[in-house]
């Protein structure tokens, strides 16, 4: 079993630390944020992630998982140091490497000889070399091992991956990293660092492309009188297409797709290739936010000025509490900019976010509302009392941007219903 340091206790780092400890390794997880570490030491999990709390407790109780403040304190006896710090979007769309570089600078002087530093964060192509330079250690190898963890099912994705990608010019370091995944069954792809880094960007960009494509098809469906639900079902049975990531919605968001797609456009531009396809994918996504706003405006009678909109869902998707780059927030702010009064509810968001103070229950936001907009696909929204909703609203009108609700049942209750692509 290996000694692993995980730098960064966010969605990616905490999942990585807890899962490696559950595989039997000795893990020390470091974060710069003292408050976060103090909470973790008390067994409090700062994020909503299925199965994570149990794994963290199990690891701590078994003495295989510890939390410390400061990367250097985790790295001193580490055979492997996983970098899981943020790579936010810079002003020009490029990824900002300053946190990665800061972490490398902290651990460089203290890492034991023969340690392997692993980039788990999504980093621009060429970052393995950057980390090598910052570490300044001939006796330490840097390897890329990108994450493919969906928020909400990150633990499941870590322990049941579709593949494990390892990028290294040093075969023995690659084999050592592969051996950490003992007990995990998945194809392992060992390649050079730029290819591993590109696999990550290309995968996220492809998934974003799929969603933008289906959102565009939904617009076509609306124009020609087709039902996108049946269209994607018919497409998905083609094994070359598949059913996954073919759900139309309010646009894609979250901590990865928006910044990774822009970063890939930037990487390609810098390298001399104009990635117009991906630019189009991003534009279709921006348009999708506007399309949802237009649907609400239309139901409201042509203007949002002075209109009260009840919003269900603020997170960028269901089963997470993450609102980073959430389409729901974008749509809410676009509506507010047109003079709408937005009152929102989300089962996982309790604190104010971007000027919105969430209500404590889904019915409150329907009170006096002219239109209800469903922006996140929380399952519980399907099972609410729609007679009660209709009674509370000024007019029972709903824009279902996730095609989540039962259209026929709502129409029977007197709702005017607008979905996406149907
Ligand atoms: C982030 C990136 O968004 C993603 O692209 C990348 O693949 C992995 O890192 P995430 O885990 O969601 O993903 O980030 P976040 O939840 O913001 O957590 C980062 C953690 O790192 C925070 O707890 C922060 O306090 C910590 N951190 C940040 C450090 O420990 N050191 C730093 O220098 C900066
Ligand atoms: C993503 C990647 O899927 C994952 O492999 C990792 O690289 C991190 O980034 P995540 O950001 O958690 O995961 O969200 P994901 O489940 O991929 O959804 C991204 C966005 O696309 C969400 O806003 C979601 O609502 C939207 N989406 C997804 C759709 O609109 N339709 C779909 O069919 C699927």
């Amino acid at each position: 079993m290996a000694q692993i340091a995980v730098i960064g206790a966010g969605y990616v780092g905490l999942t990585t630390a807890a899962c490696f400890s559950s595989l039997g390794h000795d893990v020390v997880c470091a974060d710069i944020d003292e408050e976060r570490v103090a909470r973790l030491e008390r067994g409090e999990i700062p994020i909503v992630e299925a199965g994570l709390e149990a794994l963290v407790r199990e690891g701590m109780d078994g003495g295989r998982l510890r939390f410390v403040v400061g990367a250097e304190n985790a790295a001193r006896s580490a055979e492997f140091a996983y970098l899981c710090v943020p790579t936010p979007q810079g002003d020009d769309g490029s990824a900002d490497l300053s946190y990665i570089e800061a972490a490398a600078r902290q651990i460089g002087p203290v890492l034991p000889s023969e340690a392997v530093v692993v980039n788990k964060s999504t980093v621009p192509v060429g970052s393995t070399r950057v980390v090598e330079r910052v570490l300044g250690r001939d006796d330490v190898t840097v390897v890329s091992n990108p994450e493919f963890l969906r928020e909400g099912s990150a633990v499941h994705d870590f322990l049941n991956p579709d593949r494990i990608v390892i990028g290294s010019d040093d075969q023995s370091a690659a084999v050592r990293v592969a051996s950490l995944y003992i007990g995990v069954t998945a194809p392992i792809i060992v390649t050079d660092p730029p290819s591993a880094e590109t696999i990550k960007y290309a995968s996220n960009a492809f998934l974003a492309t799929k969603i933008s494509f289906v959102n565009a098809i939904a617009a076509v469906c609306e124009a020609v009188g087709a039902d996108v639900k049946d269209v994607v079902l018919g497409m998905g049975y083609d094994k070359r297409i598949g059913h996954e990531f073919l759900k139309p919605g309010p646009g894609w968001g979250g901590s990865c797709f928006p910044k990774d797609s822009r970063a890939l456009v930037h990487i390609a531009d810098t390298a001399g290739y104009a990635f117009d396809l991906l630019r189009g994918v991003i534009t279709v996504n921006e348009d999708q936010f506007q399309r949802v706003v237009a649907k609400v405006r239309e139901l409201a009678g042509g203007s949002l000025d002075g209109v009260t909109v009840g919003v269900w869902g603020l997170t960028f998707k269901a089963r997470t509490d993450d609102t980073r780059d959430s389409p729901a927030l974008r749509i809410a702010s676009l509506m507010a900019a047109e003079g709408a009064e937005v009152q929102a509810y989300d089962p996982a968001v309790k604190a104010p976010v971007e000027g919105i103070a969430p209500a404590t229950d889904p019915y409150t936001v329907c009170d006096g509302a002219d239109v209800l907009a469903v922006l996140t696909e929380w399952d519980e929204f399907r099972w609410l009392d729609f007679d009660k909703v209709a009674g509370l609203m000024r007019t029972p009108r709903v824009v279902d941007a996730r095609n989540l609700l039962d259209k026929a049942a709502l129409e029977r209750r007197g709702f005017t219903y607008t979905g996406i692509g149907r």
Side-chain angles (χ1 to χ4, degrees), residues 55-78:
L55 276 197
V56 168
R57 273 184 200 283
E58 200 182 289
M60 289 174 78
D61 292 347
R64 296 185 313 278
L65 179 59
R66 286 191 297 125
F67 295 99
V68 295
V69 177
E72 61 282 3
N73 295 324
R76 276 200 187 89
S77 55

Side-chain angles (χ1 to χ4, degrees), residues 122 147-152 157 163 200 204 207 211 214-215 243-257 260 316-318 325 327 377 402:
T122 305
E147 51 93 5
F148 302 98
L149 309 174
R150 287 165 304 174
E151 281 179 27
D157 291 351
R163 78 304 208 184
K200 174 60 199 270
N204 271 0
L207 293 169
I211 304 167
V214 86
N215 283 335
H243 292 290
E244 300 272 317
F245 275 70
L246 275 189
K247 278 204 198 71
W252 38 265
S255 69
C256 286
F257 283 8
D260 290 352
F316 77 99
K317 62 174 188 181
D325 265 310
E377 75 283 22
R402 295 281 182 172

Side-chain angles (χ1 to χ4, degrees), residues 16-25 27 55 58-59 64 155 158-159:
T16 301
C19 289
F20 272 141
S21 86
S22 84
L23 296 178
H25 301 298
V27 183
L55 276 197
E58 200 182 289
R64 296 185 313 278
V155 168
F158 191 101
L159 297 173

Side-chain angles (χ1 to χ4, degrees), residues 21-52:
S21 86
S22 84
L23 296 178
H25 301 298
D26 267 322
V27 183
V28 184
C29 181
D31 204 284
I32 204 171
D33 181 342
E34 290 180 21
E35 167 68 24
R36 196 176 187 89
V37 171
R39 285 182 63 186
L40 285 164
E41 280 177 323
R42 293 196 295 269
E44 291 170 29
I45 307 301
I47 54 176
V48 170
E49 195 59 72
L52 187 60

Side-chain angles (χ1 to χ4, degrees), residues 65-140:
L65 179 59
R66 286 191 297 125
F67 295 99
V68 295
V69 177
E72 61 282 3
N73 295 324
R76 276 200 187 89
S77 55
E79 296 165 80
F80 299 87
Y82 268 80
L83 302 183
C84 303
V85 293
T87 47
Q89 194 176 304
D91 295 335
D92 56 358
S94 66
D96 174 358
L97 272 187
S98 55
Y99 296 119
I100 294 277
E101 290 180 26
R105 216 169 287 122
Q106 283 157 23
I107 64 175
V110 301
L111 278 172
S113 195
E114 306 304 320
V116 177
V117 173
V118 189
N119 274 337
K120 192 95 189 148
S121 300
T122 305
V123 289
V125 179
S127 297
T128 305
R129 308 274 180 262
V130 174
V131 173
E132 272 165 7
R133 251 197 321 278
V134 176
L135 285 169
R137 293 274 302 261
D138 292 341
D139 57 338
V140 170

